[in-house]
Amino acid sequence: MGEDGGQNVEAYYYGACLTQAVHSIFKALEIEKYRLSGCPFVISFTGGGGKTSLIRRMAWEGRELGLKVLVIPTTHMALPEHFFVPEPSVGALEQTLKDSGIAVAGNPEERKPGEKKISFWGWEFYQQAREKADLVLVEADGAKRLPVKVPGPAEPVIPGDTDLILCVYGLKALGQKGEKCCFRMEQAKTLLGESFSLDKEDREWAMEEKYMACLMKQGYLSPLKQSFPQARILPVFNQADTGELVLAGKRILEQIGHTEGLITGNLWKEPSFELF
């Protein structure tokens, strides 16, 4: 992974069993197995708990493999410090990809004082821009920096040509009060009320493994599978920075009953953490 090594990240791929940690998310997800030569491979990131950190890491790995990597939001993401293309110019984007290997494209805006974001340039630009890249990483959801989310109406915003959808939750939500760690509380309480008879007026409930499994499955995995039957859809449990949290992620994946998933940790230690 270059001179900096990039060996702090730990990624566990969960299929028939939990594998030994590897230091490449590309390797853990077997991206090269699914990516067709000559075609842009599109990955959409949904949920909360470290989507942008995961995007940075995968952009880093993609560039290390010689791929041209486009990062683009269909909702909003933080204004990047590097590789930014501030105008809907396919020519400028193509030049940035050629010069740097990574381009981040979005409409700069200040949604409130001191909060600089970028937003979506629109589907016409997206279709033109994707053709210039080998790997397209789409920030397709917003969670107000909270580790858990249940999507609201018209969320997430996923391109129809997506090959892989990663549904991300942050394991550090475990043990926190729901109102402190979960975005879209009304939707979350509805799902948990149906499955666990959780009182909607209970403001003291804390995030448990079984609740996180339920919200991931009912909020993201099941509905997205219906909407995107052609895509590979994986749960990702991020922030597994300790052995205890790795085991918690494994138990949650087992409770979901999904055939495959990913557990990641220590992304904040990576040189990719400040990539853009």
Side-chain angles (χ1 to χ4, degrees):
M1 300 299 297
E3 293 182 3
D4 288 310
Q7 297 297 302
N8 290 310
V9 67
E10 291 186 349
Y12 298 83
Y13 173 75
Y14 183 82
C17 62
L18 191 65
T19 68
Q20 185 177 3
V22 295
H23 300 298
S24 166
I25 295 173
F26 260 70
K27 182 177 179 180
L29 293 176
E30 298 184 296
I31 297 296
E32 291 303 293
K33 173 182 174 181
Y34 292 91
R35 193 175 70 85
L36 299 177
S37 179
C39 299
F41 189 81
V42 181
I43 306 175
S44 291
F45 297 76
T46 69
K51 292 190 307 296
T52 304
S53 297
L54 196 60
I55 288 172
R56 290 192 192 105
R57 175 65 192 190
M58 296 194 73
W60 175 287
E61 291 189 20
R63 184 177 65 172
E64 289 290 304
L65 292 171
L67 304 179
K68 294 178 180 177
V69 184
L70 168 64
V71 178
I72 190 167
T74 54
T75 52
H76 297 90
M77 66 181 294
L79 181 72
E81 294 186 12
H82 309 288
F83 314 118
F84 183 43
V85 181
E87 56 185 333
S89 166
V90 176
L93 183 145
E94 189 171 19
Q95 188 63 49
T96 301
L97 287 172
K98 180 180 178 181
D99 294 341
S100 304
I102 297 173
V104 186
N107 181 19
E109 56 183 51
E110 192 166 357
R111 295 172 62 81
K112 53 186 179 182
E115 185 181 73
K116 296 181 180 181
K117 298 276 190 177
I118 61 173
S119 60
F120 192 35
W121 279 120
W123 293 112
E124 182 177 356
F125 176 75
Y126 169 81
Q127 291 297 337
Q128 295 173 348
R130 69 181 292 279
E131 296 302 322
K132 305 301 180 182
D134 304 305
L135 176 67
V136 183
L137 305 178
V138 182
E139 175 103 42
D141 211 355
K144 302 289 186 183
R145 297 183 179 274
L146 294 175
V148 172
K149 177 185 176 178
V150 176
E155 294 177 329
V157 184
I158 297 174
D161 59 359
T162 292
D163 299 290
L164 171 63
I165 302 173
L166 298 180
C167 306
V168 185
Y169 275 2
L171 289 169
K172 290 185 178 177
L174 292 171
Q176 293 188 32
K177 288 184 179 180
E179 63 184 1
K180 298 293 185 180
C181 69
C182 185
F183 187 48
R184 304 278 188 233
M185 279 292 290
E186 291 305 311
Q187 286 88 341
K189 285 184 176 181
T190 296
L191 292 180
L192 295 178
E194 292 171 353
S195 298
F196 300 102
S197 301
L198 185 72
D199 185 352
K200 285 190 176 183
E201 302 304 316
D202 181 3
R203 301 181 63 85
E204 298 300 316
W205 68 275
M207 185 64 66
E208 300 179 23
E209 292 176 10
K210 63 182 180 180
Y211 293 165
M212 193 176 284
C214 172
L215 296 178
M216 173 64 79
K217 184 174 182 177
Q218 301 302 327
Y220 281 100
L221 301 177
S222 295
L224 287 177
K225 192 60 182 175
Q226 290 185 354
S227 300
F228 297 89
Q230 84 290 349
R232 184 184 178 207
I233 302 171
L234 297 181
V236 179
F237 291 97
N238 192 22
Q239 301 172 346
D241 298 340
T242 66
E244 183 179 350
L245 287 173
V246 171
L247 292 175
K250 179 180 184 293
R251 289 192 296 268
I252 295 169
L253 284 170
E254 289 173 341
Q255 290 181 54
I256 291 172
H258 209 60
T259 55
E260 55 180 350
L262 188 69
I263 299 169
T264 59
N266 293 314
L267 290 174
W268 60 277
K269 293 181 178 180
E270 285 302 302
S272 63
F273 191 69
E274 297 180 351
L275 184 62
F276 50 77

